[in-house]
Amino acid sequence: MADSFLMEVCVDSLESAINAERGGAGRIELCSSLLEGGVTPSLGLLQVTKQSVKIPVFVMIRPRGGDFLYTDQEVEVMRADIKLAKANGADGIVFGVLTEDGRVDSELSAELLAESRPLPVTFHRGKLTFKSLFHMKIKSTGLEAASKMSQ
């Protein structure tokens, strides 16, 4: 049996999403402003992209460019954006949160993961997705899994 892989393409425009699907992408990571490393896209971009492609669309939840250390106010924006992405047809959520020393913020990751349910979540700037951690048979909660990622 041949190994298979999923090609995910990060895009910040409708044209790029359509081209990614035509080019063989199996999933889209939708954001805005790739020059800033990707930030949360508009709801309009999400809705029109969902109408225009057949492959899953995961939405980046990132209130600004720069580092992955967020203030309490930025976290509230992230929570609201997750709710809106879910309500507007996102197939999955993408986010990344770190501590000041560069480790995965496991507590905040677990909170945002819970907010994202039942959608699948990919951890941005990480080598593994939350889903792949469980496929590797790590028998732990999301909080413990996020902690293991930071080690």
Side-chain angles (χ1 to χ4, degrees):
M1 175 162 82
D3 290 334
S4 64
F5 68 94
L6 174 68
M7 180 172 56
E8 179 182 78
V9 178
C10 190
V11 302
D12 64 356
S13 71
L14 178 60
E15 180 181 15
S16 294
I18 292 168
N19 287 338
E21 182 177 53
R22 286 182 184 155
R27 181 167 70 204
I28 290 170
E29 180 178 307
L30 186 65
C31 65
S32 289
S33 193
L34 278 172
L35 291 176
E36 289 187 74
V39 297
T40 305
S42 73
L43 291 178
L45 180 57
L46 171 58
Q47 289 176 343
V48 176
T49 299
K50 287 288 298 173
Q51 293 167 1
S52 302
V53 300
K54 293 182 172 84
I55 59 177
V57 177
F58 279 38
V59 175
M60 169 66 71
I61 302 297
R62 190 171 181 217
R64 58 163 173 76
D67 63 29
F68 293 86
L69 301 171
Y70 300 108
T71 66
D72 290 343
Q73 292 86 3
E74 289 170 328
V75 170
E76 286 307 308
V77 170
M78 293 172 79
R79 290 179 199 281
D81 283 339
I82 289 169
K83 288 177 186 171
L84 289 168
K86 287 169 57 177
N88 284 277
D91 296 299
I93 302 294
V94 180
F95 64 79
V97 291
L98 302 177
T99 61
E100 288 184 17
D101 63 357
R103 294 183 180 268
V104 173
D105 186 331
S106 56
E107 183 177 334
L108 181 54
S109 292
E111 291 172 16
L112 295 175
L113 181 61
E115 189 75 49
S116 301
R117 284 189 183 114
L119 298 182
V121 172
T122 299
F123 191 84
H124 184 66
R125 298 289 187 197
K127 295 180 182 176
L128 299 172
T129 68
F130 289 110
K131 185 175 181 181
S132 67
L133 286 172
F134 294 106
H135 284 308
M136 292 175 7
K137 300 188 187 315
I138 294 176
K139 305 236 188 267
S140 60
T141 66
L143 177 59
E144 290 167 341
S147 177
K148 289 177 193 271
M149 284 178 57
S150 68
Q151 297 175 356

